[in-house]
Amino acid sequence: MQQIDEVCPLKVIVVGAGLGGLSAAIALRRQGHCVHILESSSFKSELGAGLAVPPNTVRSLRGLGCNIDNLKPVDNLCFTAMAHDGSPGMMNNMTDYGQAYGDPWVMAHRVDLHNELMRVALEPEKTGPPAQLRLDSQVASCNVDACTVSLVDGTIYSADLIVGADGIRSTIRSYVLDAEIDIPPTGIAGYRWLTPAEALEPYPELDWIIKNPPLGARLITAPVRRNDSIEQSGPAPISEKADKRTIIIYACRNGTMLNVLGVHDDPRNQNEVGWNVPVTQESLLDFFKDYHPRFKRLLELADNVHLWQMRVVPRLETWINKRVCLLGDSAHASLPTLGQGFGMGLEDAVALATLLPMGTKVSDIENRLVAYESLRKGRAEYVAMESFEQQNIPEKRGLYLRSSMMRDEIMGYDVKAEAEKVFKELMTSTDKVTYRPHVDCLW
């Protein structure tokens, strides 16, 4: 006789209510599980900047029930490159991406994306029990064996599954690995700021940014070589570094806001300065003083400029330990070079939830996490590696825009379909299950 098991939704703790944590909460609630999100901040201030949302990311967002219009998106129809002296460079036409990949590449503001994910995670009307969000709840430690987390105030929460989506400075990561992992400096940083689009109106010399079609991201590249030389007792330099300064500009918030990022090699000792610090407009202008006057006008409009260190998580030995796993930046934080940072974390969330449908027993979770890591780790780490190398290795710069094969591999990927294939392979038992829902999902 077939055994009939009565099952309940899993109790899941998601540590971190950033983009990855909210994505995980949505994906898991849609499977019927009870999700509690623990977030250390209070969300009292609006933070963030522009964000790339390429086709594979749009596809996954739609699959989670997000309304892309709520992101106030701007279509990214091309990447247009120009040299620092104003001369034209390469243009990558992206007007056919919607047809090629089923969804377009759009640009959004991080806060608008966060707000939409929050809505879909918490609204009662959505599929599955709404996630419960606890703010000002900083996790101090995790007991992997007991599957519990302790807050700094001493409160202990237990769960069937713990998801560490707490970012590049993750607390959960050291408990998964049973070791502290250093996040070393990359020597790369970026000047970052937002400018209202209306501020450009008086300056026709800036029409090339948001008025001249095809519209999309603009990349301003540095001179081929820049004399960053160390001189001996004579005029001849003993070394010369490639100049990797690049200014990336694109619109977001329905075209009302410009996101600007000036990526460069950081001359500072990154271990002795903050990861994200305010800087003056004067220092920004001085750093790009050899750029053409048509670009200088844009820099003169910069306000509230921050200098952001770009660090990456080194390849980890594992993302999983018993019933605790890592997701998103805690596992594979990368540079923004390919525009896939959030997208990889979103794919993690979709894959994880697909492998944990309603009917999953607590005793199944460890094996499902092995499958999750097997499905996700290689792809996410490949994207992170390419993001770093295509910024840092001169010969690889721009490879993503030049290689249709690489774009197809990354943006043509359907994580939901791939996870369903893996899940089907896991299902060898014919045991039937019945669902007994929690009435209120209170713990």
Side-chain angles (χ1 to χ4, degrees), residues 44-272:
K44 289 180 180 177
S45 59
E46 182 178 286
L47 300 172
L51 185 77
V53 189
N56 57 307
T57 306
V58 174
R59 183 183 309 120
S60 292
L61 286 171
R62 292 192 199 278
L64 293 184
C66 293
N67 184 340
I68 302 302
D69 289 341
N70 289 343
L71 275 55
K72 305 174 187 174
V74 174
D75 286 335
N76 186 29
L77 300 178
C78 73
F79 277 96
T80 303
M82 288 166 280
H84 80 291
D85 60 3
S87 59
M90 177 183 67
M91 188 182 81
N92 178 260
N93 192 317
M94 299 161 58
T95 55
D96 63 344
Y97 276 25
Q99 180 178 353
Y101 302 118
D103 283 292
W105 183 320
V106 300
M107 301 300 198
H109 192 286
R110 181 177 293 269
V111 171
D112 297 329
L113 174 57
H114 191 269
N115 288 342
E116 176 61 5
L117 291 171
M118 184 87 75
R119 180 186 72 84
V120 179
L122 304 183
E123 276 192 357
E125 296 79 11
K126 297 297 179 182
T127 303
Q132 305 297 310
L133 174 62
R134 299 175 185 270
L135 300 176
D136 296 310
S137 299
Q138 183 176 351
V139 172
S141 64
C142 174
N143 186 323
V144 171
D145 293 323
C147 205
T148 62
V149 293
S150 299
L151 305 188
V152 292
D153 66 6
T155 305
I156 298 175
Y157 291 99
S158 64
D160 300 319
L161 169 69
I162 296 171
V163 180
D166 48 344
I168 190 170
R169 300 201 223 191
S170 171
T171 296
I172 300 300
R173 182 172 55 229
S174 62
Y175 294 94
V176 168
L177 295 162
D178 196 25
E180 292 289 342
I181 299 297
D182 181 48
I183 308 300
T186 61
I188 302 169
Y191 291 97
R192 175 175 258 177
W193 71 96
L194 293 164
T195 296
E198 62 182 8
L200 279 63
E201 286 294 337
Y203 308 107
E205 65 269 30
L206 297 180
D207 286 352
W208 55 273
I209 298 178
I210 56 174
K211 290 187 178 181
N212 296 349
L215 299 179
R218 311 306 196 206
L219 284 72
I220 307 169
T221 59
V224 175
R225 305 292 286 181
R226 180 183 175 201
N227 188 3
D228 283 335
S229 311
I230 302 172
E231 296 190 357
Q232 293 178 315
S233 57
I238 63 171
S239 67
E240 190 176 63
K241 292 176 60 179
D243 188 341
K244 290 176 259 184
R245 289 177 299 165
T246 304
I247 300 175
I248 304 105
I249 312 159
Y250 57 83
C252 56
R253 289 198 159 164
N254 292 331
T256 64
M257 192 72 69
L258 285 180
N259 181 81
V260 191
L261 176 63
V263 184
H264 59 278
D265 282 340
D266 192 349
R268 306 171 301 166
N269 183 333
Q270 291 189 325
N271 282 325
E272 296 181 355

Side-chain angles (χ1 to χ4, degrees), residues 19 34 39 54 56 79 120 128 154 160 169 178 244 255 265 268 279 310 345 355 370 385 427 440:
L19 301 180
C34 294
E39 167 57 38
N56 57 307
F79 277 96
V120 179
D160 300 319
R169 300 201 223 191
D178 196 25
K244 290 176 259 184
D265 282 340
R268 306 171 301 166
V279 294
M310 298 183 181
L355 295 170
V370 171
M385 178 188 69
M427 292 297 95
D440 51 15

Side-chain angles (χ1 to χ4, degrees), residues 429-441:
S429 172
T430 58
D431 290 350
K432 290 184 178 180
V433 297
T434 59
Y435 170 43
R436 178 173 62 83
H438 281 262
V439 174
D440 51 15
C441 272

